[in-house]
Amino acid sequence: MEERIRTMICRFVGESPAGRFPESDEPYFDEPLVGYAAADDPLFDDYKRIIGAFHRTPHEVMEIGFGTGVRAATVISWILPITQPTRDSNRRETVYPSPAWARTRNFGEQLNAALRRHVTEWLAEQGHRAVAPQLEATWREYPETPVGRASTWSERHAAYAAGLGTFSLNDALITPRGIAHRCGSVITDLPLTPSPRPYPDHYHNCLYYREKSCGACIGRCPAGAISYQGHDKDACSRYVYGTAVAAVAEKYGVTQTGCGLCQTKVPCEGQIPAGTTDA
């Protein structure tokens, strides 16, 4: 069943007309990565401490969707890697995202939402309850929390639980396909085999945390929101949701632009970077 689900997700992303630039028919994303986490994984309880008490466990999301007593079994998580041409276009930028990056953030995320709906509907056809946390009616994003901008469900943290990558100096997730991606998830009562987490710690894929040999994302941030002390989520949010949108959204024909400069022209852009200790 795990392989059937992976194939279903990859097919939808590869075949959906909504997954392509209308002017070129080129895709927004490469083939997805898919992982699975057990709903009972203690990490999901830990996230209430790490992110905030408002962050929901898989069981809480299932109960909101289907009623008290309905238990989750698995979190299905995926990574949608942004294509090389789009990454190349953003590498050349120093202030605002490229048009291709902004359109991928805007329209590619619409595809991601459609994928969430597709996965839940497919699972329902197989006789299983399923809910996409970000599409659930009570999902909330909070601009100001003790950890900065956060929501009732973090797709990045779900992906980490599913073994798809580790975190970085700029707070993004470095996966085997790199840091330039979108991610999504669905929670289901279908028991599936959890994916291994093949990393010794939650920062392992980041060269700075692994061996203090990087920091390229610091110089790439036009908002000055990244330093060796970490990521200033408030400064980042003001830039991504305010400054960049005001500057280029109308010009690019989008409502959300993203930024992604710190996810391109860096060693982890499209892979887990090899460090000096890997030679």
Side-chain angles (χ1 to χ4, degrees):
M1 180 59 83
E2 290 82 2
E3 183 58 27
R4 285 182 65 195
I5 291 172
R6 191 196 72 81
T7 299
M8 173 265 296
I9 289 171
C10 291
R11 180 177 295 123
F12 182 87
V13 172
E15 296 179 356
S16 174
R20 296 180 175 275
F21 288 96
E23 66 273 18
S24 66
D25 203 41
E26 292 298 312
Y28 294 122
F29 303 112
D30 289 330
E31 183 173 282
L33 304 177
V34 181
Y36 308 95
D40 286 330
D41 192 311
L43 267 177
F44 292 110
D45 290 319
D46 292 343
Y47 290 161
K48 284 187 171 294
R49 173 180 53 83
I50 296 167
I51 301 172
F54 54 84
H55 192 272
R56 294 169 180 158
T57 68
H59 298 304
E60 287 173 331
V61 177
M62 282 292 280
E63 287 195 335
I64 290 169
F66 295 101
T68 302
V70 177
R71 300 287 288 175
T74 305
V75 177
I76 303 169
S77 181
W78 58 82
I79 299 295
L80 304 179
I82 295 174
T83 61
Q84 183 76 56
T86 296
R87 290 189 278 121
D88 286 345
S89 73
N90 216 47
R91 289 169 65 91
R92 296 189 287 270
E93 302 298 329
T94 58
V95 180
Y96 301 119
S98 70
W101 185 277
R103 289 169 186 155
T104 297
R105 168 61 182 86
N106 193 98
F107 301 116
E109 187 55 32
Q110 291 176 15
L111 171 75
N112 199 10
L115 175 59
R116 294 180 179 102
R117 289 189 290 269
H118 177 72
V119 173
T120 57
E121 291 166 1
W122 186 90
L123 287 164
E125 290 171 359
Q126 312 304 311
H128 303 287
R129 293 185 177 96
V131 59
Q134 277 210 356
L135 300 184
E136 196 279 316
T138 65
W139 179 87
R140 292 290 182 272
E141 188 171 44
Y142 302 103
E144 297 181 6
T145 78
V147 295
R149 193 181 192 97
S151 68
T152 51
W153 181 261
S154 169
E155 300 286 25
R156 291 179 300 114
H157 285 76
Y160 171 73
L164 292 174
T166 76
F167 296 96
S168 60
L169 188 62
N170 64 7
D171 268 348
L173 196 79
I174 303 175
T175 76
R177 292 300 311 278
I179 200 171
H181 58 75
R182 304 297 300 168
C183 48
S185 62
V186 161
I187 300 167
T188 179
D189 63 3
L190 170 65
L192 296 165
T193 303
S195 306
R197 286 197 287 271
Y199 312 112
D201 62 74
H202 64 288
Y203 282 130
H204 178 75
N205 294 348
C206 176
L207 284 179
Y208 174 73
Y209 286 117
R210 195 193 317 163
E211 56 185 46
K212 306 297 184 186
S213 67
C214 195
C217 57
I218 296 173
R220 286 287 289 160
C221 180
I226 309 169
S227 70
Y228 287 116
Q229 285 68 52
H231 177 221
D232 183 337
K233 293 177 71 174
D234 292 332
C236 176
S237 293
R238 288 193 296 270
Y239 189 83
V240 171
Y241 296 101
T243 304
V245 170
V248 299
E250 184 175 358
K251 176 182 176 182
Y252 293 169
V254 298
T255 57
Q256 295 290 331
T257 65
C259 174
L261 268 68
C262 69
Q263 298 173 27
T264 52
K265 206 174 182 180
V266 292
C268 56
E269 176 187 309
Q271 61 188 353
I272 299 171
T276 57
T277 59
D278 300 308

